[in-house]
Amino acid sequence: MDPALGPPSVMSERREELTPMMAQYHDLCARYDDAIVLFQVGDFYETFCGAAETTARLLELTLTSREDSTGEYPMTGVPVDNAASYIEELLEAGYRVAIADQVEEPGESAGVVERAVTRVVTPGTLTEDELLSSDDNNFVAAIAAGDGSGATDEPGGDPDADIALALLDVSTGDFLTTSATTPDRIADEVSRFTPSEAVVGPDAPADLAPERCMVTPFSPAAFDLEAATEILRSYFGNPESLVASDAEIRACGAILAYAEYVRGGVSGDGEGASTEMTQTDNSDGVEREHLNGTADATETERTRLEYLTRLRRYDSREYLLLDAVAVRSLELFEPRAVHGREEATLVDVLDETESALGGRTLRDWLRRPLLEPDRIDDRLDAVESLTQDPRTRDSIQEALRGVYDLERLIGRISRERANARDLRSLRDTLATVPAIRDAIDGVDCDRLTRIREALDPLEDVRRLIDRAIVTDPPHEITEGEIIADGYDDDLDSLRETARNGKQWIDDLEAEECERTGIESLKVGYNSVHGYYIEVTNPNLEAVPDDYQRRQTLKRSERFVTPELKRREEEIIGAEGRADRREYEIFCTVRREVAEEVTRVQSLADALGTLDALCSLATVAAERDYCRPDVRARDDGDARLEIEGGRHPVVERTQDSFVPNDGRFDSDNRLAIITGPNMSGKSTYMRQVAQIVLLAQVGSFVPACRVALTPFDRLFTRVGASDDIAGGRSTFMVEMDELATILREADGRSLVLLDEVGRGTSTADGLAIARAITEFIHDEVGALTLFATHHHPLTELANELDAAFARHFETTQEDGEVVFDHEIVPGAAQGSYGVEVATAAGVPEPVVERARELASGNADGSGGDQSPDTDSSQPHPLPVSSDGGDDPRDVAAELRALDLGRLTPVEALTELDRLKRLLE
């Protein structure tokens, strides 16, 4: 066990000798032995022993020590008010953090101040705004296996599904589930949503979580079908009506149990108010265990997540499938390399949203492009309407700038973590809704009309907050000044009493100055001594007899009178009662607002959708995008036509961009693309894929015209990478990805292949590339773009019925290569590798030597080639008088081959090449 986790052994050995405070710390560490316990001591969160050494190292803090009757302990602390940044660093280092707060005020107990873990902070269950990205979800995932009994009767369910995924954003309440028949399909869904954390059930594959996802051990009992059914029923009623398989029930039930455990602990605000421990609640019949499954389930706290009101089941087959490789290759959310520039990803280009709600909606659309033309056209209709009506769009976006993050606001309100400012933020957001409704009113678009109808202004909630909460409340909710005058008669009376007393105090100074003749006399207040009359030392002889000495200072004395003491008790008593009454009223108002969680979440959905549509319309209008023509595959025929297509990301980062066309159908579905490096092959392929993806998202696209039938899946094998940790070379990674494509792609897939086979010898690479091309053409039938430097592959355009060759034009001017970045029919005449090296600044001696070797004149070696020689340059063969290749030169090449160094595959490849030269 990590020394930072669990009870310090030195304490365990002498548990009975510990001081009460250190005994508290020991017991909490024992109970939360899977987390670093941050233990509140006054204004600091402290750690001790091994945990102190770990936190000091990770957070680069000074390691101090604490000494008591049982010995000296290492100690490290962080300020309570600034703990969030330190917690974030611990999470990034791979630790869970248990927050042990003081749950009673010092002085309220005769013994040690009571402390309890109010929450366990893990990467996937964050709710703190300062630790979360505002424009994306933060999911925790659960993966569960079924028991082989089949699916439920839910329409769309897969009867053979035996593995399920549940995804929960604890901060927003977004709750999704799906299932599949294979782990690979679930792995694709996990990579689509990139959860921060995952819990994995028994019998479920443990290797489906992405590399940066924390896998948390959790009690196997939480995945029990009966227990999972009961907890789901406690939230949503009959779970069989919501999900499609037993595996989905297990995954959803387990993730709810986990979220309840992590968010469990002390009820209340964490605002310094008096709170009580939430005791174990097993009313739903579900026993809870700690993360490691070793704690007594009957002692585990749980907190019901009241704001979880919706569970959305989706079928992954209803969306364009993008696996982790495709998401990374197409740079949808993260750049593949550090570009040193903004807008280096597709989401950066598209995101013109005005709210966090819109940002998350847009990202969800990018993760799950649509398949049905009707659904796609529904979005496109709204985007087109907003694109053509800039005045309406501007009015909507202006109003959306005042929209706060409703999903996280209502989550905090429901968890009783919201303060008065949060309620005012909700009120201010609701105040924008009428203006947004007015802006949409009369727009001739069914989608926008439906959104307008869903924009519930929640007038009753807004009026409640307006009447109850002051316009600019303080951050703290226990110190008064948050409830508006006139809302509560009892509070108004207490305030009036306090105000009258304070007015008497204000008048007292003038009266006493006049009565005593001491012009420098002051009436003041502090929290220790209360109200006092201060007289400087030179004026002490003028002090009246009814003054009672309260405090002696160096240069003055402080006094009190019987009437002042009476008024002080009256004022402070009224203020204290007013503060308590305000807190009671606030909690009541907050609970009333929380009861409208479903309405608020529905409003958030509508606002997020409208914001995302406006963002797509803004991009389309400002960047000259066109509406794609999305057609159903009634006859099963794939079609993709692009005129003047542009790469949406690259065109934003360059001064100019050369548009290119692309036309593909069932009879022309395999494009073999050649051209030198830097000519634009990879950019072109990604541009085609991104145009397809955008069209299926329901966005306009960067082109003059686009027509397509939707694709079910998009595969990419673009760029070189290795897996050092997994012990896999670049070539092995490439082969793994290719195996997936060849196994899973079909006639409804779009496949991008870039430089397949370059990770091994030229001969082997050419053989593999040819075999893959033939297999995709003959067996898979996917629409494929294959960029290659293996020029012999271009001959397949004449041999395979649905294959055709394209290349990027390149010219030479004054010995320098010039890239036209324009794709044209036919094969490239050369790779211009030496010229590209020159343009890249390779030293001249190296370039000249390379040119000699490429021309075959180095050291008189002629056409001699080893198996590893790059075949990107065509073999130079003299032309005979009839225009054909001279057989004598083929014979010379045969004599030059070093058969002892060739593998059987390389020998066959060379033989095939030479035979085709003769033919």
Side-chain angles (χ1 to χ4, degrees):
M1 179 178 291
D2 191 295
L5 307 180
S9 57
V10 66
M11 291 185 179
S12 297
E13 295 168 0
R14 306 175 62 185
R15 168 67 178 80
E16 300 304 320
E17 302 176 19
L18 297 175
T19 64
M21 189 189 81
M22 296 307 292
Q24 268 190 3
Y25 178 73
H26 169 276
D27 294 345
L28 290 173
C29 286
R31 192 169 193 179
Y32 295 89
D33 62 354
D34 42 32
I36 291 180
V37 175
L38 295 185
F39 187 80
Q40 186 180 4
V41 182
D43 294 333
F44 281 80
Y45 285 126
E46 302 287 359
T47 56
F48 301 96
C49 300
E53 294 171 354
T54 299
T55 54
R57 183 182 71 255
L58 293 175
L59 305 179
E60 299 182 356
L61 298 173
T62 301
L63 183 66
T64 59
S65 63
R66 174 187 176 86
E67 187 173 1
D68 60 28
S69 58
T70 58
E72 184 175 359
Y73 311 113
M75 181 174 74
T76 301
V78 300
V80 170
D81 292 341
N82 193 32
S85 60
Y86 295 107
I87 292 172
E88 184 176 20
E89 290 187 55
L90 292 174
L91 294 176
E92 290 177 352
Y95 289 91
R96 302 168 190 88
V97 180
I99 308 297
D101 286 311
Q102 295 177 179
V103 294
E104 63 180 357
E105 293 292 338
E108 290 185 358
S109 173
V112 65
V113 175
E114 183 67 28
R115 296 172 177 85
V117 171
T118 57
R119 63 196 187 281
V120 178
V121 185
T122 70
T125 58
L126 296 173
T127 56
E128 294 78 5
D129 282 353
E130 59 269 31
L131 301 180
L132 289 166
S133 168
S134 65
D135 54 8
D136 205 357
N137 285 104
N138 184 57
F139 285 112
V140 57
I143 302 170
D147 60 1
S149 61
T152 70
D153 295 331
E154 170 71 9
D158 189 337
D160 299 317
D162 58 3
I163 185 167
L165 169 69
L167 295 152
L168 174 62
D169 186 332
V170 179
S171 69
T172 66
D174 287 327
F175 194 8
L176 307 171
T177 188
T178 190
S179 56
T181 57
T182 65
D184 287 345
R185 179 56 65 94
I186 292 298
D188 290 336
E189 292 305 302
V190 173
S191 66
R192 190 199 293 267
F193 289 95
T194 60
S196 302
E197 185 178 7
V199 292
V200 181
D203 303 324
D207 59 350
L208 301 184
E211 181 179 349
R212 289 184 290 179
C213 175
M214 175 186 285
V215 178
T216 298
F218 193 50
S219 170
F223 291 88
D224 176 76
L225 181 59
E226 182 179 352
T229 300
E230 287 302 317
I231 193 171
L232 267 179
R233 182 171 290 124
S234 73
Y235 276 87
F236 306 110
N238 181 16
E240 286 81 3
S241 66
L242 298 172
V243 299
S245 68
D246 288 348
E248 290 179 10
I249 293 176
R250 294 173 189 272
C252 292
I255 206 170
L256 284 173
Y258 179 68
E260 284 187 347
Y261 161 73
V262 171
R263 304 311 301 176
V266 175
S267 64
D269 306 282
E271 298 285 353
S274 176
T275 54
E276 295 180 357
M277 286 295 296
T278 301
Q279 300 300 318
T280 304
D281 178 0
N282 290 322
S283 58
D284 61 0
V286 183
E287 290 188 346
R288 306 286 181 262
E289 293 187 53
H290 283 267
L291 301 183
N292 56 17
T294 60
D296 184 351
T298 63
E299 296 180 357
T300 304
E301 298 85 13
R302 55 167 295 204
T303 295
R304 181 178 170 83
L305 308 177
E306 297 288 353
Y307 59 101
L308 293 189
T309 62
R310 297 172 296 182
L311 170 59
R312 297 172 176 172
R313 188 199 180 269
Y314 75 95
D315 189 336
S316 63
R317 295 169 295 187
E318 296 176 354
Y319 300 93
L320 172 66
L321 183 55
L322 300 164
D323 60 16
V325 176
V327 171
R328 184 172 59 252
S329 297
L330 298 179
E331 300 182 287
L332 301 187
F333 305 107
E334 294 183 3
R336 296 173 66 245
V338 178
H339 295 273
R341 60 177 184 263
E342 296 180 354
E343 299 178 334
T345 66
L346 185 59
V347 73
D348 290 334
V349 170
L350 294 180
D351 193 355
E352 295 290 343
T353 58
E354 303 292 346
S355 70
L357 301 172
R360 287 197 294 272
T361 300
L362 182 63
R363 282 160 176 76
D364 183 58
W365 290 357
L366 279 175
R367 288 190 181 100
R368 296 190 291 173
L370 303 171
L371 298 183
E372 294 298 324
D374 289 346
R375 296 178 65 190
I376 297 170
D377 280 334
D378 190 47
R379 278 188 197 163
L380 287 172
D381 288 345
V383 173
E384 183 172 38
S385 178
L386 292 168
T387 301
Q388 295 176 350
D389 189 352
R391 180 174 297 179
T392 295
R393 187 177 74 245
D394 290 345
S395 297
I396 294 171
Q397 290 181 311
E398 178 66 29
L400 286 170
R401 293 187 185 104
V403 169
Y404 288 85
D405 194 339
L406 287 185
E407 290 178 320
R408 288 179 178 163
L409 274 177
I410 196 62
R412 287 200 298 276
I413 291 168
S414 298
R415 293 192 306 272
E416 298 186 351
R417 289 278 178 179
N419 59 27
R421 291 185 179 182
D422 289 328
L423 292 187
R424 289 300 304 189
S425 295
L426 173 58
R427 178 265 172 210
D428 292 344
T429 297
L430 299 180
T432 67
V433 175
I436 298 174
R437 287 174 58 89
D438 289 344
I440 304 176
D441 192 21
V443 173
D444 185 18
C445 173
D446 289 344
R447 180 66 179 269
L448 295 177
T449 299
R450 296 197 303 273
I451 290 175
R452 184 183 185 280
E453 293 171 353
L455 291 173
D456 179 1
L458 283 84
E459 289 288 350
D460 51 338
V461 175
R462 181 158 68 96
R463 285 195 299 268
L464 171 63
I465 298 172
D466 259 337
R467 288 188 299 109
I469 308 299
V470 298
T471 302
D472 186 20
H475 180 77
E476 299 294 333
I477 61 174
T478 57
E479 298 178 2
E481 303 300 329
I482 58 174
I483 302 300
D485 288 337
Y487 183 76
D488 181 79
D489 292 341
D490 291 341
L491 177 60
D492 290 345
S493 177
L494 291 170
R495 284 176 170 173
E496 184 62 25
T497 299
R499 277 196 291 266
N500 290 339
K502 285 188 174 181
Q503 184 60 51
W504 184 87
I505 295 293
D506 292 341
D507 296 339
L508 178 64
E509 183 173 305
E511 293 173 359
E512 289 301 304
C513 286
E514 182 178 351
R515 179 165 79 96
T516 63
I518 304 172
E519 295 181 358
S520 61
L521 179 147
K522 300 293 183 184
V523 176
Y525 173 84
N526 65 41
S527 59
V528 176
H529 295 96
Y531 287 100
Y532 56 82
I533 301 170
E534 183 171 304
V535 179
T536 57
N537 290 342
N539 295 297
L540 291 178
E541 293 181 357
V543 169
D545 293 339
D546 61 339
Y547 276 28
Q548 301 170 9
R549 182 173 282 101
R550 170 163 283 187
Q551 184 182 13
T552 300
L553 302 178
K554 183 176 181 180
R555 295 183 176 85
S556 63
E557 296 278 355
R558 290 176 174 174
F559 301 90
V560 66
T561 67
E563 179 66 8
L564 179 58
K565 288 172 65 175
R566 186 181 69 80
R567 293 284 188 167
E568 176 183 79
E569 292 171 0
E570 181 181 285
I571 295 168
I572 293 176
E575 287 179 336
R577 291 194 299 274
D579 288 348
R580 288 191 291 274
R581 180 61 182 157
E582 283 204 61
Y583 180 69
E584 292 172 1
I585 296 170
F586 174 78
C587 290
T588 300
V589 171
R590 185 171 59 186
R591 282 193 295 271
E592 289 183 31
V593 174
E595 291 174 358
E596 305 300 333
V597 58
T598 301
R599 293 171 64 195
V600 174
Q601 288 174 336
S602 296
L603 173 61
D605 284 347
L607 289 171
T609 300
L610 182 60
D611 197 2
L613 290 171
C614 285
S615 178
L616 296 179
T618 298
V619 173
E622 294 180 352
R623 297 164 201 175
D624 194 25
Y625 286 13
C626 75
R627 174 170 179 160
D629 178 12
V630 183
R631 309 170 184 175
R633 292 195 184 201
D634 296 331
D635 56 359
D637 185 35
R639 181 175 298 276
L640 174 60
E641 299 175 1
I642 300 173
E643 292 181 7
R646 313 184 306 274
H647 192 296
V649 178
V650 175
E651 75 166 346
R652 295 295 307 281
T653 58
Q654 293 185 351
D655 295 333
S656 62
F657 189 91
V658 178
N660 276 297
D661 299 343
R663 289 178 176 81
F664 311 87
D665 54 36
S666 296
D667 296 327
N668 297 278
R669 64 176 184 269
L670 199 159
I672 301 172
I673 304 171
T674 53
N677 289 324
M678 298 174 62
S679 62
K681 299 189 300 298
S682 297
T683 297
Y684 175 73
M685 290 200 304
R686 289 193 179 98
Q687 139 188 339
V688 168
Q690 290 190 352
I691 287 174
V692 167
L693 188 147
L694 287 177
Q696 294 190 216
V697 161
S699 168
F700 281 29
V701 295
C704 297
R705 188 185 75 86
V706 170
L708 77 155
T709 52
F711 294 89
D712 288 356
R713 186 158 184 178
L714 199 160
F715 294 93
T716 64
R717 164 84 283 282
V718 180
S721 61
D722 56 19
D723 179 6
I724 297 174
R728 301 187 303 163
S729 67
T730 298
F731 184 66
M732 179 60 74
V733 171
E734 179 182 58
M735 292 299 104
D736 282 349
E737 294 174 1
L738 283 169
T740 299
I741 295 172
L742 299 179
R743 185 174 60 249
E744 299 184 13
D746 59 23
R748 302 176 70 91
S749 302
L750 174 62
V751 177
L752 309 184
L753 301 177
D754 189 11
E755 304 296 348
V756 168
R758 65 181 173 184
T760 185
S761 68
T762 299
D764 277 359
L766 176 59
I768 290 170
R770 182 183 179 95
I772 287 172
T773 305
E774 292 172 347
F775 186 85
I776 289 177
H777 180 276
D778 298 337
E779 304 295 334
V780 175
L783 195 157
T784 305
L785 284 74
F786 193 153
T788 182
H789 277 301
H790 292 302
H791 287 267
L793 286 180
T794 59
E795 298 173 8
L796 291 175
N798 299 321
E799 300 176 17
L800 303 178
D801 292 339
F804 60 99
R806 293 290 184 270
H807 73 280
F808 278 87
E809 286 281 66
T810 306
T811 58
Q812 284 185 285
E813 296 179 4
D814 300 327
E816 295 185 0
V817 63
V818 177
F819 302 111
D820 297 334
H821 301 298
E822 182 177 357
I823 194 167
V824 294
Q829 299 303 306
S831 288
Y832 297 99
V834 176
E835 288 75 9
V836 172
T838 303
V842 174
E844 186 62 29
V846 176
V847 171
E848 288 302 322
R849 175 59 175 162
R851 188 171 283 112
E852 290 177 3
L853 293 170
S855 66
N857 294 327
D859 301 328
S861 58
D864 221 8
Q865 294 189 35
S866 73
D868 293 326
T869 302
D870 188 356
S871 65
S872 60
Q873 290 286 354
H875 293 275
L877 294 174
V879 179
S880 62
S881 58
D882 62 358
D885 297 324
D886 192 334
R888 291 173 299 177
D889 293 283
V890 175
E893 286 208 34
L894 273 172
R895 285 191 296 271
L897 289 175
D898 186 354
L899 298 179
R901 295 180 58 189
L902 293 179
T903 67
V905 172
E906 290 170 342
L908 288 172
T909 301
E910 286 295 315
L911 181 60
D912 178 69
R913 181 180 65 82
L914 294 172
K915 179 182 177 182
R916 284 185 283 107
L917 287 176
L918 286 174
E919 292 173 349

